[in-house]
Amino acid sequence: MNDILPGEIETWQFLEATARNVFGTYGFAEIRTPAVEKTELFCRSIGETTDIVEKEMYTFDDKSGNSLTLRPEGTAPVMRSFIQNRLHTLDPVSKLFYMGPMFRYERPQKGRYRQFHQIGAEVLGVEDPKIDAQVLSMLNQYFCRIGIESVSLQINSLGCPECRPGYRQQLIDYLEQRLDSLCADCQRRYKTNPLRVLDCKASGCKEATVDAPEMLEHLCADCEEHFSAVKKHLLALTIPFEVNARMVRGLDYYVRTTFEMVTDRLGSQNAVAAGGRYDGLVESLGGPALPGIGFAIGVERLVLMKGEEKIIPPVPQLFIAALGQAACDQAFVLMTELQRAGIRAEMDYQGKSLKAQMRRANKLNAAYTLIIGEEELKSGEAQLKCMADSKQSQAKLGQLAELLMEKLTK
C-alpha cells in the first residue's frame, strides 16, 4: 500500500474529475459503497473457485463473529446496494459509476498494490447490444479526454449458460491431455475454472493452450447474434477494436460481451480497463432478473501511463511579504479576505527577513507579491509586483481583491 503525495495527487484529481464529467454526460450517477462487505457477497458473486476468493481477499471476523471482507472489486458491492435500496423501482434503467480503493493480497509489482484504486461504471436493465457499444464508446471517450492514446480495445464473447457448458467440457477434455505442461495453479483449477487457464501468464500454459478450442466457435444463435450486433454498432461509432478469442475474465459472473483496454507500455500488466456483461448477477444475489454490463479502470496504471505529464498544482496568485508585527497582523487579515473572495493567497508566518520571504514567493511560483511595512499601513497603499515581468503598480489595500481579480482575468 502506498501514499499519494502532493505533486502526485493532482494527476489523480484530474483523472477522477474527468471521469465524473464524461460519465455524467452519458447519464451516469455516482454511488459510494462501504469498503467492507459481508464475505458471503463476494463468494456468491465472484465465485468460490476464483483466485480472488481463494487466495487474495482480506477477510476477518468482527467482534460479533461475522465474516467481513475488504472489497476486492467494485461491481458486487454496487449490486448489493442496488438490490438493498431497490434502485430498480426508481427507473427501469440504472447507470451508476464509482471510484475508490479496493484490496487484494497479491504480489506487489509495477502498477499493482494491495490497496489499489478503481474507477468503474455499471448499467443495469438493458439487454440490447447497443448499450454494450455505448459503454465502450464512453470508455473510449474517457481515454481520449485524459490524453492517453496508446491503448486499444479488445473484445470477446464468453457465451451464456446455454452454450458455455458444452464448450467448458470440451476445454476440460482438451486440458486433461496436457496437464503435465500446466502450472500448479492451472492443474488445480482446470476442472473448476477452466477458462482461467487460457488467461494464465505462465509460458508452459501459454504453449499448452495455443490451439485450445475457442468460445467463439461454440456460441449459440442468440449469443452469436448479440456479438455480431456489438461489432456492428462499434463500427458505426467508428471505434476501433480487435477480437481476442482468448480473452477471459477472472470472475465467474461474466457472460457474452467481455472487453479490455490494453497497452504495451506496462509490461505484463497490459490491461488498464476491463469489463463485460453479467446478466445473471443481480438475480443470483437475490434481486430482480435484470441484465447488466460494466467495467473497471485501474487508476494506478493510468497514473503510470501519464508518466512525466505532471499536472502542475495550483500556485499562489498573491504572496504577501510583511515587515513587522503590525504588518504581519494586517497581512493575515488581507490574506483571509482574498481567500474568501476565491483568490489563492499566501504569506510568511515566521517573521523572516524580506529577502527570505521573496525567496519563498519565488519558490511557490506566486503570480504577484505585495510588500507591507509601516509606511504601507499608514498610507493604505502598497506596491503590487508581477513576478513574471517585475512590473509594479500601486494597489490600495482596501481594494486589493478587486484589483487582483481584474489583473488575473486579463
Side-chain angles (χ1 to χ4, degrees):
M1 302 182 184
N2 64 317
D3 300 311
I4 306 166
L5 305 175
E8 302 172 312
I9 195 66
E10 290 77 18
T11 300
W12 288 69
Q13 291 168 339
F14 165 71
L15 296 172
E16 292 167 355
T18 305
R20 288 189 172 97
N21 182 277
V22 172
F23 297 176
T25 301
Y26 282 76
F28 284 70
E30 185 171 1
I31 183 172
R32 300 188 186 187
T33 63
V36 178
E37 298 276 356
K38 291 182 179 179
T39 304
E40 175 193 11
L41 171 67
F42 301 111
C43 293
R44 291 173 62 188
S45 61
I46 296 174
E48 294 189 13
T49 61
T50 60
D51 284 353
I52 295 174
V53 172
E54 286 187 337
K55 299 187 292 186
E56 298 171 0
M57 295 201 313
Y58 283 97
T59 298
F60 59 94
D61 290 342
D62 67 9
K63 292 183 179 180
S64 300
N66 299 309
S67 181
L68 304 178
T69 295
L70 293 174
R71 61 186 181 195
E73 57 94 37
T75 298
V78 171
M79 297 304 105
R80 190 270 311 151
S81 179
F82 174 83
I83 296 166
Q84 185 175 319
N85 293 286
R86 298 179 56 79
L87 298 186
H88 64 281
T89 63
L90 304 179
D91 194 287
V93 178
S94 294
K95 294 181 176 181
L96 305 167
F97 76 91
Y98 61 87
M99 52 186 71
M102 311 293 161
F103 306 85
R104 295 185 195 176
Y105 190 84
E106 296 183 282
R107 180 172 62 85
Q109 53 188 289
K110 185 178 181 181
R112 174 180 285 178
Y113 300 95
R114 288 174 177 171
Q115 175 176 303
F116 59 100
H117 297 76
Q118 289 184 341
I119 297 172
E122 319 287 354
V123 180
L124 296 159
V126 185
E127 191 173 10
D128 193 299
K130 289 187 184 69
I131 201 67
D132 303 37
Q134 186 187 52
V135 165
L136 291 169
S137 174
M138 183 175 77
L139 188 58
N140 184 72
Q141 175 72 2
Y142 176 70
F143 276 92
C144 290
R145 287 283 299 276
I146 62 176
I148 292 180
E149 298 178 352
S150 56
V151 291
S152 57
L153 172 63
Q154 295 185 354
I155 64 172
N156 192 20
S157 176
L158 293 181
C160 68
E162 296 297 321
C163 56
R164 194 153 70 189
Y167 166 71
R168 186 176 180 275
Q169 186 57 54
Q170 186 173 338
L171 181 58
I172 290 173
D173 294 341
Y174 172 90
L175 295 173
E176 278 183 338
Q177 300 173 28
R178 295 160 178 79
L179 279 182
D180 291 344
S181 301
L182 303 182
C183 69
D185 275 346
C186 288
Q187 288 178 357
R188 174 180 53 83
R189 68 188 173 192
Y190 84 97
K191 282 191 175 181
T192 57
N193 203 348
L195 270 66
R196 291 291 289 135
V197 180
L198 300 178
D199 195 40
C200 184
K201 301 297 188 291
S203 58
C205 295
K206 286 183 178 180
E207 293 173 10
T209 60
V210 68
D211 59 349
E214 297 176 353
M215 184 68 233
L216 291 180
E217 299 170 350
H218 296 77
L219 296 180
C220 64
D222 287 345
C223 288
E224 177 63 48
E225 182 181 353
H226 188 278
F227 193 51
S228 295
V230 171
K231 292 184 286 185
K232 181 188 75 172
H233 296 317
L234 290 175
L235 290 171
L237 298 176
T238 65
I239 297 173
F241 66 90
E242 173 189 349
V243 175
N244 179 357
R246 291 181 62 89
M247 183 201 304
V248 298
R249 303 261 29 94
L251 310 180
D252 282 357
Y253 51 65
Y254 283 109
V255 296
R256 289 194 171 176
T257 308
T258 55
F259 53 86
E260 290 182 354
M261 298 291 280
V262 300
T263 179
D264 59 2
R265 290 174 52 186
L266 297 177
S268 62
Q269 300 300 320
N270 64 340
V272 292
R277 276 201 164 269
Y278 44 82
D279 292 347
L281 179 59
V282 177
E283 186 177 17
S284 73
L285 293 175
L290 292 175
I293 184 171
F295 63 80
I297 306 169
V299 182
E300 280 82 359
R301 297 181 187 182
L302 292 186
V303 173
L304 280 175
M305 294 184 71
K306 293 298 286 183
E308 298 302 318
E309 301 174 41
K310 292 291 184 183
I311 296 173
I312 300 173
V315 299
Q317 293 165 311
L318 177 70
F319 186 92
I320 306 173
L323 302 174
Q325 187 60 50
C328 186
D329 291 344
Q330 184 59 33
F332 179 68
V333 173
L334 277 173
M335 179 184 71
T336 303
E337 290 176 350
L338 293 171
Q339 290 166 338
R340 288 172 177 169
I343 296 170
R344 297 188 299 275
E346 265 296 347
M347 63 172 286
D348 169 64
Y349 297 91
Q350 299 174 322
K352 291 183 177 179
S353 67
L354 178 59
K355 186 176 180 180
Q357 291 188 61
M358 294 305 291
R359 276 201 304 267
R360 176 156 173 74
N362 275 318
K363 185 177 180 180
L364 293 174
N365 292 316
Y368 290 88
T369 57
L370 188 78
I371 300 174
I372 302 177
E374 290 184 12
E375 292 300 319
E376 287 75 19
L377 288 179
K378 289 178 183 177
S379 66
E381 294 186 353
Q383 291 293 317
L384 183 66
K385 179 181 179 180
C386 175
M387 300 297 280
D389 56 18
S390 297
K391 290 183 179 179
Q392 298 190 40
S393 57
Q394 201 71 7
K396 293 180 183 281
L397 299 183
Q399 300 173 4
L400 188 56
E402 293 87 344
L403 178 62
L404 276 169
M405 287 285 195
E406 181 182 335
K407 289 182 174 295
L408 292 168
T409 53
K410 283 185 179 179

